Each structure stands twice: as C-alpha cells, then as structure tokens.
Amino acid sequence: ALVSSTTPVTSNGGGGTVFYVTKSGHKFTTNRVERWEGGTPDVVGCVRAGMAFMVKRMAGVTEEKEVSRNAWVTSWLKTNAPNVVILDNHDTSLPIVPFLIRFQERFLHYNFVCSLLNDLFGVQTRGGCMCAGGWSQRILGLTDSAGLPNSENVKLESALVDRCEVLRPGYTRFSLPTSVTRREAEYALQAVKFVSEWGWLFMLEYAVEERTGVWRHKKRLGKPLGKERLWLHDLKLDAASDESNKRKHSVDLDVYNKAFDEALPNAHKEKERILGDNSLISRVLSRSPYTLPEEWEELRWFSNPSEAAAWIEGGAGLESQTFEKYALKGPVVPPVALGKGVGEGSSLVTPIPSTPLPPRTASLFHFRAAEGHEGEATLSEISEGLESGEIDESCMLYIDGGWVNVMEVVNQEEEVKKEEVMDSRTQNHIVEEEEKKKEDNGLDDILPVPPPSTKPKKTPPLPKKLMKKIGEAIMQWSMISPGDRLLLGLSGGKDSLTLLHALLAVQKKAPIKFEVACCTIDPGTDSFDPSPLIPYVESLGVKYFYVRESIVEKAATSGPNGGPVTSLCSYCARMKRGLLYSTAQTNGYNKLVLAQHLDDCAESFFMSAMKNGFLRTMKANYKVGDGEGGDLSVIRPLVYVRENVLRDYALKANLPVINENCPACFEEPKERARVKKLLSKEENLSPILFDSIKRALIPLMDKDVGDRCREFGDEVVERGRREGEMRKGKHGGGVKSCSNDKKNQVTPPPTSSSPVALQDFTVEELERELERRKKAKLSRPTGPICTIDGTCE
C-alpha cells in the first residue's frame, strides 16, 4: 500500500540523476547508469521509508510535537542568532531548518559551515540541498516573479558546467526531531549561534577547493578521515552480537555530559587563539586574495578568508557583530533577508509546464529523445550523445517555438564552422609563397620571421601560482642554464601560448641570460591553419620560425608498399617532432621546449600502465638521440602545472588560440579523453588527487628511471621463465644440474664415435647451456663442470 500510494512510477529521472534543476528544465548527469537507475521504482527505499514511519509511530512521535519543536527552534534562533537567515518556515513545518549565515555583504559558504560545526562541536548538518531544484532557488532569490531562473541563475549554471563547483548555490540544513533531548537540542543551537557570530574568523584556518566546493582544515588537507570513523554497517543488530554492541557503542553519560560542558568554552579558546595569532593573519593577508576567474567573480555569493583577515586588520572584528545593515552582493539574495515572505506574490509549488520552454541561452537546447529522455544540453554535448549512442537521430530540439530534428541542427552547425574556417583563412595574415626556401636542411619551407619593431601586446600578469610551479620545475630539473638558446614548439594551443608568456616573464626576472624563440609546424591541411600566430608573435618581439611541410600529402604515399600510412595522427606527430628537432639543430638552439602539463603526464602514465603494462610518463628533461644529436635537450617546464590554470589564463588574457579541427584526429579512439574523464571523477572524490599523482610521477620523469623500471620488470619475468624451465628439466629430462652422482647425470642422445651434433639437442637444452656458460664467465666455478654431452669433471 505504501508503494502504490506514495511513490507512483514516474518516467522522469529521480533524485541524484540530475546535475542542475530549474523550473523550466533540468540537466542530466553524464553517468547514464546513475541517471536511468533513478527512474526505476525504488522498492528497497520504499520499504525503508515504511519502516522509518513505523518506528516513528511506535516511539510516540506525533505531528503536533514536531511542529511545536520547530516553532521553538526557529524562535530561539531569531532571538539569539540574528546573523542566521532562516530561509523557510511555516507554522506547520517539521523541525528541519534551512539557513545561511551572514558575514558582511555575503554569506559563509554552506560547506564551510557544515565543516566547522562538525570540527568544533561534532554537530552533523547537511550542505547544498539543490536536489530540491525550483524550491531551493525560490528561497535563495534566484528566480524572477514568475518563478523562472533569473539571468544570474543562468550564469551560475554555466559556471557549474565549467567545473566551478564552489559557486553552486545552496544552504545548510539541520534537523532537531523530538527524539533529540532538550539538552542536545540546546547544545546544537548554541553551536549554530557561535558559528553565526565567530565562524567567519575560522576561515583563516580553512582552504577551499573550487572544483569541488569542499572546505578542509589546513591540518587535514591531505589526510583521510581516519580509522576512528564508524559507519552504519559497523552496527550489528543480531541477537548474538547484542552484548558486544552494547560494550562497543555504549556511551558513558558522565563523559557525554562533560563533552557538552567543555565544547563551547573550548571553541571560545580557539577563537581567542586565532585573534591573537598575528602571524596567521599576516600570512592570509600576504597571499593573493582568493578570487575566482574574472567572468565568475561577480557570481561569488560567499565570503573568503582574505575578507575575514582584512576585517580583523581593520579592527572591526574584535567584537561580535550583526550584519543585517549590509546590503547583500552576489546572486544569492533570499527574499526573507529583504523582509519579504518566501511565497510572497506566487505559490511555492509551481506546476511543471506540459511543453518545454525555449532555451534560456543561445548555447543550451532543450532536447527530447526516446523513452522520455529529455533535458537541456549544449550542442557539443548533444553531438557526443549521438556519437556514443546515448541518443539517436530521432531526437528533437526545441528552437524558436518549434521542434526541429537534431540532425538538421548538427549538419547546419558543421556548415557554419566550415564557413568560419574559410573566412578566417581569408582574413589571416598569410606568408607570401615566393619567400626564399631553405633547401640545405631538407625541409619544404622554413620562414624565419625577424623581430618586429612594434610594441609588445599587453597581457594581464601571469598568476603567481602558475609561475611558482614553473619555477619549481625549472629549478628541480635544471632546465635552463646561462647562455641557453630555447626553441618553443608553438602549436597555437592554450598551453604553448601561455608557456610562451611565462618564458618571457622568466627571461625578464631571471639572474641568468638565455634566448627564447618559437617554431610552428604547418602540416598543410585546411583543417588547421596556424598562420594567424605570425603577427601575434611579431608583436611580442620573439624570433619566429614558421615551417611548412606537406605532412598530410606525404602521408598518402608513406605507408606500406607506397600506400597511405596506417595512422595519420601518429605519422603527423612523428613528422612534427622531427621538424622541430631539425629546426632547433640547424639554427643553433640547444634546448627544445614542449608544453605538456601535469594532466598530460598523469594521463600518459595511466594509459601506459593500463594498456602497455609499463610505469612510464613524459620526461621533464632529456637528451635527444643518445649520442647522435645528443647536444639537443627537450624540456617541459609545465610538468607541475594543472591544465585548468593554463585554460583560465588563456581566457583571461584573450590569447589567440588556434583550434585544431583535423577530422583524422577526431576519428581516432578517444582513449586519452576517457582517462581524463576517469581522473576527473576521482578528483571529485579526492581533491588532492593530482598532488598525490605528481609525487608519484616525479621519479618517472627522470630520463633513466622509466627505462630501468622496464628492464627490471623484464629481468624478473625472464628469471621466472628460467626457473620454470630448470624445474621442468630436472623432472622431465634434458640437462641436469651438475653432480658426480651417476643417477643425476644427463643421458646423452644415442651417438656414435663422431662428435655430437647440435641438432641432436632441443632448443631448451641449448638455451640452458648458453645461460650456464654466461654465468661461468662472471664467477669462478667451485663445483664440477658439465659439458653439453652430460659428462662432468
């Protein structure tokens, strides 16, 4: 009865299956298993819910008692904790309180509040709660008068798609049911009050990971939760273990009450310690202010540690204050904070429209596929769904008030991209084909571009975090020495362009002198035209080599029997690397600089380990040629830098990134993209994942360690093979171990008086004899020596 009456089967996704929800639509998670699992009847969950209600009734909990408890809780908070903004409260509400805590013009992040309540007081709360979708956005002030997402809400969704999870709007929620004693409830309320008054101060000792939105104390950034944490499965409810459970999970009331009595004074002691720690405040102030990328900073609705330190430095934070007088900044402006009722003007419960609404932005499309699969996604995400089979060609998109087949939109978008490529090639600065070619080095065309006289293009300063990582790599791997001539492989991507600016910045500040030049390889395909880089590099005053080589054309005749190559991507990569080597050596550059970053190294490591069985990754600094051309070194200054740091700077500086649209590259198996997605999921669970990977990869970045690991692995396998063959020979015939005992001697094959021929012996016997003779050269024999015919002396 419970299943049929309360949880009817629905065709839409359930909780945990959507990434972001608004009144006008929702975006599914990318994990298809999780998404479709949410749409199935949750039988086990329904049974659990029924049991919970049954236990509740047996405990004597009534709705009247819960409503009374809720009224007391909300009244207490409003009277004693004015910085707490209770987001929703009705006379008939259960004692489940969603709230935010104000500090100056913003709020404390809900994940920080949850962490602080747990760390200081052991009070468990929940943060986020955006699965409630439209209701949560209404109480946070993220909707217009009609209940639809406002413009800032749309921007927030875009930021979340770009992995800035810290911006996800939400709140803290805690519950105090009637099963909680009065003293326990008062303790929890006192904890919330303390955090509302002094929680901002403790931000100085916490750090936030913007990709996950997780706040951790500085002493536990890289530590697990510990073995002391107990889970629900630790509790055994069977009768046989009842006594052991009582001993294991029983609570000493004296210790329990003492913990209550000491928690709040201890919290005040910690507060005084931080206020008196001038070095901590100075360190926070000396660091670069915590800011999000420029395009997202306006969406920041929470306070950061720098603002807390500045508040103390100004002398205003020494006394407990209320912040109701401050006008709120950011997209989160709850109606109750403005003195309005949450449901004022319209009902909280809004009906779901029977037909999808038009897309909120030009980049998002409402789609409807088979089996009730619908939602909102970008065109690139829809294209990926077509390729993976997640949606089929019958999918429809809602555009300009009507439904259009997805294939029409995708085909039209491809035509637009082709026209844009052709237009850009026409407008780009094209190097004249009549320029003199250099034929002495065997290249089709090398065009050295002289340094221009124009002023360098102004770009924003490079982030300190980026320059620090590059500096560490250069120092630890001895990448640059006085008098070095560096040639940067400039592909036109975000990584190489950012590295160019970083090298120029290092060149200006470094105490040693070195030269920087660039080289770009044009493979001669319409899908990739790097010629717009020429005027840009000219504006920087950097010597530039633009190499034209008909790689794609040559690939058609460079394969087996004069046919096409088996892998155009592999052939193109080898040719480009060879051209870079030749350009560097021909023009007197002793170091080639490549722009692979930490993400590339991590992906290469896992691909090598999972596919080839080798512990190997990209090297930080190595010689090319092993004697032949050994005067050329290859260095990678970005091996400690994350890809997102490079991407953020490229966007901020508006660098002229050249997008490569080679169809052959897109048709290749996307193994690297799959590994990237795998690591991204793991990073959501462990924000320090790439710090750990970096420590593990540092030894493998050495030019010799990887080869040694491989040789040792081969040696171990060979040793096991030899041991197996020796044991087989001992029990099954062949060359025996040396002994004067005739029972252990090898019986030679039937022979005449003529010498024994090699063909009379098996391959295994000959290999063992060769191995024995090799060992005999390395150590002086101390026992009898056996010949190949089995006699010993």
Side-chain angles (χ1 to χ4, degrees):
L2 178 65
V3 175
S4 60
S5 61
T6 63
T7 56
V9 178
T10 175
S11 60
N12 294 327
T17 67
V18 288
F19 178 76
Y20 198 77
V21 182
T22 65
K23 178 182 178 181
S24 60
H26 55 269
K27 182 184 290 296
F28 280 112
T29 59
T30 58
N31 190 315
R32 284 177 288 176
V33 175
E34 291 180 359
R35 182 168 69 241
W36 290 109
E37 188 179 68
T40 58
D42 185 10
V43 177
V44 176
C46 293
V47 173
R48 290 173 177 168
M51 294 177 65
F53 279 107
M54 182 179 66
V55 172
K56 178 181 176 181
R57 294 193 184 100
M58 292 174 63
V61 177
T62 62
E63 183 177 353
E64 291 76 14
K65 291 181 180 179
E66 291 185 322
V67 171
S68 175
R69 169 61 65 88
N70 177 67
W72 171 68
V73 169
T74 54
S75 174
W76 193 98
L77 287 174
K78 289 179 180 179
T79 303
N80 299 283
N83 290 330
V84 174
V85 178
I86 300 176
L87 297 174
D88 183 44
N89 181 49
H90 296 283
D91 294 338
T92 58
S93 295
L94 300 178
I96 303 174
V97 184
F99 68 94
L100 286 170
I101 293 178
R102 298 189 62 162
F103 173 61
Q104 294 181 320
E105 299 163 327
R106 291 183 172 87
F107 298 97
L108 299 184
H109 198 283
Y110 52 83
N111 281 339
F112 168 71
V113 173
C114 291
S115 297
L116 192 59
L117 284 171
N118 174 77
D119 296 347
L120 276 180
F121 300 99
V123 174
Q124 301 292 297
T125 55
R126 184 181 179 187
C129 303
M130 288 307 294
C131 57
W135 179 81
S136 291
Q137 292 177 12
R138 177 69 63 83
I139 65 176
L140 292 174
L142 293 170
T143 58
D144 57 20
S145 57
L148 298 175
N150 57 28
S151 59
E152 290 179 320
N153 195 346
V154 175
K155 294 178 182 178
L156 280 171
E157 183 174 354
S158 299
L160 294 176
V161 171
D162 287 339
R163 304 293 304 278
C164 189
E165 190 67 22
V166 72
L167 282 176
R168 183 179 291 274
Y171 42 84
T172 308
R173 186 174 70 181
F174 76 104
S175 58
L176 293 175
T178 54
S179 58
V180 174
T181 66
R182 182 81 173 197
R183 184 177 186 187
E184 291 172 338
E186 290 176 348
Y187 172 79
L189 292 174
Q190 289 288 350
V192 173
K193 177 187 176 184
F194 177 88
V195 172
S196 71
E197 294 175 345
W198 296 105
W200 59 269
L201 178 65
F202 288 80
M203 282 195 293
L204 275 63
E205 294 200 323
Y206 280 75
V208 60
E209 170 59 43
E210 61 185 51
R211 286 171 61 87
T212 62
V214 174
W215 292 71
R216 291 174 180 249
H217 192 272
K218 62 183 182 180
K219 292 184 179 180
R220 298 192 65 85
L221 289 178
K223 296 181 179 180
L225 292 174
K227 296 181 180 180
E228 71 278 1
R229 183 174 185 176
L230 298 177
W231 300 87
L232 186 61
H233 63 256
D234 292 324
L235 182 63
K236 306 298 182 183
L237 299 179
D238 55 287
S241 59
D242 183 63
E243 290 300 321
S244 62
N245 278 323
K246 288 181 179 179
R247 293 192 299 269
K248 184 176 180 180
H249 302 286
S250 61
V251 178
D252 189 328
L253 291 180
D254 293 336
V255 176
Y256 190 64
N257 292 328
K258 184 179 179 181
F260 273 10
D261 295 336
E262 294 179 350
L264 194 60
N266 288 337
H268 280 282
K269 289 180 182 178
E270 286 296 304
K271 175 203 71 175
E272 296 298 332
R273 178 186 62 79
I274 296 176
L275 285 173
D277 192 347
N278 294 325
S279 61
L280 172 62
I281 300 171
S282 300
R283 285 197 302 272
V284 175
L285 290 173
S286 63
R287 294 198 299 261
S288 299
Y290 173 80
T291 56
L292 296 168
E294 185 176 353
E295 67 274 18
W296 295 339
E297 177 62 23
E298 64 176 356
L299 301 177
R300 182 169 64 87
W301 53 269
F302 57 90
S303 299
N304 60 45
S306 300
E307 292 170 343
W311 181 256
I312 301 174
E313 187 73 8
L318 301 180
E319 298 293 337
S320 175
Q321 298 189 32
T322 60
F323 302 102
E324 294 176 322
K325 61 182 179 180
Y326 290 87
L328 290 172
K329 288 184 178 180
V332 175
V333 183
V336 294
L338 302 177
K340 300 179 181 179
V342 179
E344 194 171 299
S346 61
S347 173
L348 270 176
V349 182
T350 55
I352 299 176
S354 57
T355 58
L357 298 173
R360 298 190 300 277
T361 68
S363 61
L364 288 176
F365 295 88
H366 196 106
F367 67 89
R368 175 177 293 170
E371 301 179 4
H373 180 189
E374 60 179 298
E376 287 186 340
T378 62
L379 190 59
S380 61
E381 292 171 336
I382 294 173
S383 299
E384 290 178 2
L386 283 170
E387 293 179 4
S388 64
E390 188 175 344
I391 57 178
D392 56 27
E393 297 181 359
S394 64
C395 177
M396 305 294 288
L397 303 182
Y398 192 81
I399 301 176
D400 297 332
W403 291 97
V404 182
N405 184 267
V406 64
M407 297 308 300
E408 296 182 18
V409 181
V410 172
N411 294 335
Q412 183 180 3
E413 186 70 14
E414 291 179 354
E415 292 296 328
V416 171
K417 287 184 178 180
K418 289 180 181 179
E419 293 177 2
E420 290 177 352
V421 170
M422 296 303 297
D423 291 341
S424 64
R425 286 186 62 86
T426 304
Q427 299 173 3
N428 286 334
H429 177 81
I430 306 299
V431 178
E432 296 295 331
E433 295 291 339
E434 292 77 16
E435 289 197 32
K436 184 179 179 180
K437 296 183 179 181
K438 290 192 175 182
E439 300 178 353
D440 55 346
N441 52 21
L443 305 182
D444 282 357
D445 199 3
I446 297 185
L447 305 176
V449 181
S453 58
T454 57
K455 294 183 179 180
K457 184 178 180 181
K458 291 184 178 180
T459 55
L462 290 145
K464 291 183 179 180
K465 181 179 181 180
L466 170 63
M467 297 305 297
K468 180 181 178 181
K469 296 296 183 181
I470 292 177
E472 288 178 1
I474 291 175
M475 295 295 294
Q476 292 177 7
W477 295 100
S478 304
M479 292 184 178
I480 301 178
S481 303
D484 277 344
R485 303 188 72 214
L486 310 183
L487 182 67
L488 170 64
L490 188 67
S491 66
K494 65 183 186 308
D495 307 329
S496 59
L497 282 169
T498 302
L499 180 56
L500 171 59
H501 285 277
L503 288 175
L504 295 177
V506 173
Q507 188 182 41
K508 291 179 181 179
K509 297 182 179 180
I512 60 176
K513 301 296 181 182
F514 60 92
E515 182 181 341
V516 178
C518 299
C519 179
T520 297
I521 309 298
D522 186 347
T525 172
D526 293 337
S527 301
F528 176 60
D529 176 27
S531 60
L533 293 173
I534 297 175
Y536 181 77
V537 178
E538 285 180 358
S539 69
L540 298 175
V542 177
K543 191 172 182 179
Y544 190 33
F545 296 90
Y546 190 91
V547 181
R548 281 202 182 97
E549 178 75 5
S550 302
I551 298 177
V552 177
E553 181 180 341
K554 290 183 177 181
T557 58
S558 299
N561 301 321
V565 296
T566 56
S567 174
L568 177 57
C569 286
S570 299
Y571 178 80
C572 184
R574 291 195 303 270
M575 290 292 291
K576 286 182 178 180
R577 186 67 62 88
L579 292 170
L580 288 173
Y581 292 162
S582 301
T583 304
Q585 293 172 333
T586 302
N587 294 276
Y589 292 92
N590 65 320
K591 291 186 177 178
L592 177 64
V593 187
L594 301 180
Q596 284 86 7
H597 43 70
L598 178 59
D599 293 55
D600 290 328
C601 295
E603 292 156 14
S604 297
F605 167 75
F606 281 98
M607 290 170 64
S608 177
M610 293 189 293
K611 298 299 181 181
N612 301 321
F614 298 141
L615 293 177
R616 184 172 55 192
T617 188
M618 298 176 181
K619 310 304 178 189
N621 185 0
Y622 65 98
K623 293 281 187 180
V624 175
D626 293 332
E628 299 179 4
D631 57 337
L632 178 63
S633 296
V634 178
I635 60 175
R636 292 185 170 98
L638 298 180
V639 289
Y640 293 164
V641 180
R642 293 298 310 279
E643 182 181 15
N644 64 299
V645 177
L646 302 170
R647 181 183 62 248
D648 293 344
Y649 178 76
L651 291 172
K652 184 178 180 180
N654 195 25
L655 299 181
V657 176
I658 307 297
N659 292 319
E660 185 165 359
N661 300 307
C662 178
C665 294
F666 296 151
E667 290 170 3
E668 287 292 308
K670 300 179 177 63
E671 184 62 25
R672 183 173 292 273
R674 191 182 72 82
V675 174
K676 182 187 290 289
K677 188 173 183 179
L678 174 67
L679 294 176
S680 177
K681 289 183 177 180
E682 290 300 316
E683 189 177 15
N684 287 335
L685 300 176
S686 175
I688 63 168
L689 175 69
F690 274 85
D691 292 333
S692 301
I693 291 177
K694 187 188 82 171
R695 288 194 296 270
L697 291 184
I698 285 178
L700 298 178
M701 291 179 183
D702 185 82
K703 62 183 183 298
D704 297 324
V705 171
D707 295 335
R708 292 173 184 170
C709 290
R710 183 173 179 177
E711 292 173 0
F712 180 75
D714 293 342
E715 181 182 341
V716 172
V717 173
E718 179 63 20
R719 187 188 309 159
R721 186 186 68 82
R722 291 197 304 267
E723 290 291 336
E725 291 179 350
M726 291 296 292
R727 292 179 182 178
K728 181 179 178 181
K730 182 179 292 185
H731 297 287
V735 178
K736 303 289 185 176
S737 58
C738 296
S739 172
N740 287 325
D741 189 349
K742 293 183 178 181
K743 293 186 295 183
N744 294 329
Q745 292 183 3
V746 177
T747 302
T751 61
S752 61
S753 59
S754 60
V756 179
L758 291 177
Q759 58 264 30
D760 294 331
F761 295 91
T762 65
V763 175
E764 289 79 7
E765 290 172 337
L766 292 175
E767 287 180 349
R768 286 198 296 272
E769 177 62 17
L770 288 175
E771 184 66 25
R772 186 193 65 79
R773 293 185 181 184
K774 287 180 182 179
K775 291 182 178 180
K777 292 181 179 180
L778 300 177
S779 60
R780 185 175 180 179
T782 57
I785 301 176
C786 295
T787 61
I788 198 167
D789 62 358
T791 60
C792 298
E793 58 181 22

